[in-house]
Amino acid sequence: MLIDAHVALGPWPFAPLPERTAPQLVAHLKSHGINRALVSHLGAIFLPEPMPANRALFAAVCRTPALLPVPVLNPALANWREHLAACLAAAQIRAVKIIPAYHNYSLRLPALAPFVAAINAAGLRLIVATRLEDERHRYHALAVKGLPVAQVAAFLARFSATHMVCSGLYKPEIETLAVTHENFSADIAFAEWLNTLAVLTQKIPARRLLLGTNAPLFETRAQVDKLRLARLPARTLALIGSGNATRLFGL
Amino acid sequence: MRIIDAHTHPVFMHDGATPAAARRLVAHGRAHGIVKMVALGDVLVHGRLPSAAQCRRINDETAQLMRWHPDYFLGFCCLNPTLGARAVEREVERCVTQHGFRGIKLEISNNARDACMGAVMAAARRWNLIVLQHTWSQTNIHQRRFHSDPADTAWLARRYPDVTVIMAHLTGCGYRGVLEAKSLPNLFVDTSGAFPEAEILDFAVQELGAERILYGSDLPIRETSVTVGRVLGARLSAAQRRQILHDNAAKLFRL
């Protein structure tokens, strides 16, 4: 039983990746032992406002209970409250995702104060996507950089009462943030080193790590094996593989 | 499943150079099915331009690993080609005749097109060594003065068709890198480095054939389960996986 906290549907314009339907994605994940997944739509990254992609997401997963929709919102847009209300009305959601770097705002954005308050009031978990890809060799015309870890740290300090999920952090970034901040969990999609999880759990409690494959951008088997073959107690693997997601997203 | 890892750094930033650390690494590798590792040395520990003495120290550490585990580690000789032909020739001869090294590892001292590569390729030819060239797309990195783009490594392989060259880091080389390598039968690509980005390995097999791709991890920077898993997760036949994970390296390194 695994839960994937970092999966996407939809087209990725910069590589010939598989564009799966929701049932195909369920079958794909199941073939790797993943029973449930939190899914966003890649279209929300690039469209001028994310709702068309969110609506496509809701429509795609409405008959696949294994896929839990995570809409992407943009608090830099004037009508984010309207978008949040539309998402809450459209589907049973457990979390919303923000992608500041791709949506051209920083985590210092003043609107994030009412936004985080509204997310908390709605009983949702906030997922902060800090990066989506390796910037060294991606599409040449994209200038978007991953969120600086100092900016993430300031954000965590500013909203210290909110426990959020940071997605896309590198291993050293998780370790750095874990020293001073307890109000975040992280998926492991971008965390890698020899014996990743054994090393990482020395720096951050296992109850704050989540399986995330970053499919379809990353190879699912590779990401699952990072967890499956880690030399850790079964209880720890179960926490990272599903227990923490169950707790954090109220599944 | 038997695997040969064609791209490892068992000693990395001074870490891993003790007998106990080497034993742990061998146990780790064996647990993942890795029967041999190509040890490339602690190549950046002294920066991108190591002196002759620093190259010797790096290579001596690799030789030490080979003495501790002669059935497990294959050594490649770390060089700084900008030190000149004499330094290159002397260090290659020392590594081959004294330590039995099987190849040459080039990092980012210079670009693969630079004139100083002549001595490196002559030494590779003389001692029948494989040349593993660190390579990454320079489209976004902009360090081409000393950092080789896939086009540069392809140029090197084209210029020296009788020397076998490995273009390191498939994902960093990208689709363009695969296409640069396509027409060059003496140019292999290793799968090391970067995150396990989907589809690029499938594309490389489609364009190059499985027989010109070598499994590599870039350990310890990368996780073995992930780097093996990306091969196992690609849409390949069992025979193609076996070629990439083991057989191609066994043939290339004459094991």
Side-chain angles (χ1 to χ4, degrees):
Chain A
M1 163 73 177
L2 295 174
I3 299 173
D4 188 340
H6 189 164
V7 181
L9 282 169
W12 180 251
F14 309 116
L17 302 177
E19 196 179 331
R20 301 181 177 102
T21 64
Q24 286 169 341
L25 178 59
V26 170
H28 169 77
L29 295 173
K30 210 165 193 172
S31 73
H32 294 287
I34 298 168
N35 308 77
R36 302 183 88 178
L38 286 97
V39 187
S40 298
H41 197 288
L42 292 169
I45 299 164
F46 299 106
L47 291 172
E49 61 99 349
M51 285 312 287
N54 289 332
R55 283 191 286 272
L57 172 70
F58 296 141
V61 304
C62 65
R63 289 189 180 80
T64 50
L67 300 180
L68 307 162
V70 178
V72 172
L73 294 180
N74 182 347
L77 295 178
N79 61 341
W80 63 261
R81 288 178 194 278
E82 186 186 318
H83 288 169
L84 173 60
C87 291
L88 287 166
Q92 189 187 6
I93 58 174
R94 315 285 184 147
V96 299
K97 185 180 285 183
I98 57 172
I99 312 176
Y102 281 77
H103 286 166
N104 199 28
Y105 63 92
S106 87
L107 287 173
R108 294 183 291 271
L109 181 76
L112 279 165
F115 180 80
V116 171
I119 298 303
N120 286 335
L124 300 174
R125 185 70 61 191
L126 178 63
I127 301 175
V128 181
T130 62
R131 68 173 49 75
L132 300 170
E133 55 185 337
D134 189 330
E135 292 140 31
R136 293 173 298 172
H137 50 266
R138 51 109 180 264
Y139 180 65
H140 65 91
L142 268 183
V144 181
K145 290 188 168 64
L147 288 178
V149 70
Q151 197 181 118
V152 179
F155 185 67
L156 290 168
R158 182 176 162 201
F159 298 103
S160 59
T162 298
H163 191 98
M164 53 194 91
V165 173
C166 294
S167 164
L169 292 173
Y170 293 143
K171 172 184 156 288
E173 294 176 332
I174 295 174
E175 291 170 346
T176 299
L177 291 170
V179 171
T180 45
H181 301 284
E182 293 186 353
N183 61 320
F184 79 99
S185 296
D187 77 47
I188 59 171
F190 282 80
E192 207 181 322
W193 194 258
L194 185 66
N195 295 317
T196 310
L197 295 181
V199 172
L200 204 49
T201 51
Q202 301 294 312
K203 303 288 177 71
I204 183 170
R207 64 184 162 76
R208 288 167 55 195
L209 295 173
L210 302 162
L211 172 68
T213 64
N214 197 24
L217 275 71
F218 288 178
E219 179 60 60
T220 308
R221 167 75 185 258
Q223 298 287 62
V224 170
D225 281 357
K226 186 192 298 181
L227 175 71
R228 194 173 61 82
L229 299 177
R231 293 190 161 203
L232 288 171
R235 188 174 169 279
T236 306
L237 297 180
L239 278 178
I240 300 171
S242 62
N244 296 334
T246 301
R247 188 186 75 250
L248 284 165
F249 298 110
L251 304 178
Chain B
M1 184 171 58
R2 289 164 58 80
I3 301 170
I4 298 171
D5 189 338
H7 192 131
T8 75
H9 300 281
V11 182
F12 184 79
M13 296 297 162
H14 295 302
D15 195 18
T18 65
R23 271 197 305 277
R24 279 196 301 274
L25 182 61
V26 171
H28 167 89
R30 290 197 195 284
H32 287 276
I34 293 165
V35 295
K36 283 194 189 296
M37 286 184 188
V38 173
L40 302 175
D42 199 357
V43 289
L44 286 171
V45 68
H46 302 295
R48 72 175 189 86
L49 292 168
S51 67
Q54 288 168 333
C55 285
R56 275 197 301 278
R57 280 205 292 278
I58 292 167
N59 294 327
D60 285 347
E61 280 181 336
T62 299
Q64 179 69 267
L65 288 171
M66 294 166 69
R67 281 194 295 278
W68 287 335
H69 299 278
D71 60 335
Y72 202 75
F73 292 111
L74 294 178
F76 270 40
C77 169
C78 165
L79 293 176
N80 170 1
T82 68
L83 293 172
R86 192 167 160 73
V88 164
E89 286 158 10
R90 201 163 36 212
E91 184 61 3
V92 171
E93 180 169 358
R94 187 182 79 90
C95 286
V96 173
T97 59
Q98 293 182 24
H99 303 312
F101 280 25
R102 308 289 280 275
I104 292 170
K105 165 65 162 108
L106 300 166
E107 193 60 34
I108 53 171
S109 295
N110 59 280
N111 185 285
R113 293 184 195 239
D114 289 351
C116 60
M117 290 296 288
V120 174
M121 300 310 272
R125 188 186 287 133
R126 176 183 175 200
W127 296 103
N128 195 21
L129 299 175
I130 293 155
V131 173
L132 192 152
Q133 172 68 62
H134 166 92
T135 311
W136 210 281
S137 170
Q138 293 303 297
T139 306
N140 297 339
I141 295 178
H142 309 300
Q143 295 177 335
R144 203 159 175 181
R145 184 172 60 80
F146 54 84
H147 200 155
S148 298
D149 184 83
D152 303 321
T153 303
W155 182 93
L156 182 73
R158 193 175 297 114
R159 173 85 172 75
Y160 298 94
D162 54 337
V163 177
T164 298
V165 177
I166 300 172
M167 178 193 279
H169 310 313
L170 166 65
T171 307
C173 294
Y175 293 81
R176 182 170 62 80
V178 170
L179 297 175
E180 290 281 359
K182 188 170 182 175
S183 66
L184 300 165
N186 61 321
L187 183 56
F188 289 65
V189 179
D190 83 32
T191 63
S192 70
F195 293 103
E197 293 180 18
E199 299 296 317
I200 179 73
L201 178 56
D202 309 66
F203 178 76
V205 171
Q206 173 194 305
E207 295 297 324
L208 304 178
E211 62 275 10
R212 283 174 52 205
I213 301 168
L214 305 167
Y215 164 73
S217 66
D218 218 359
L219 157 167
I221 301 165
R222 294 288 157 189
E223 171 69 272
T224 310
S225 59
V226 173
T227 54
V228 173
R230 76 177 302 189
V231 179
L232 299 178
R235 290 184 308 278
L236 306 175
S237 68
Q240 288 171 322
R241 285 193 190 113
R242 199 165 51 242
Q243 282 179 290
I244 294 168
L245 290 171
H246 180 273
D247 293 356
N248 296 338
K251 189 173 166 189
L252 201 59
F253 303 137
R254 304 182 297 280
L255 300 173

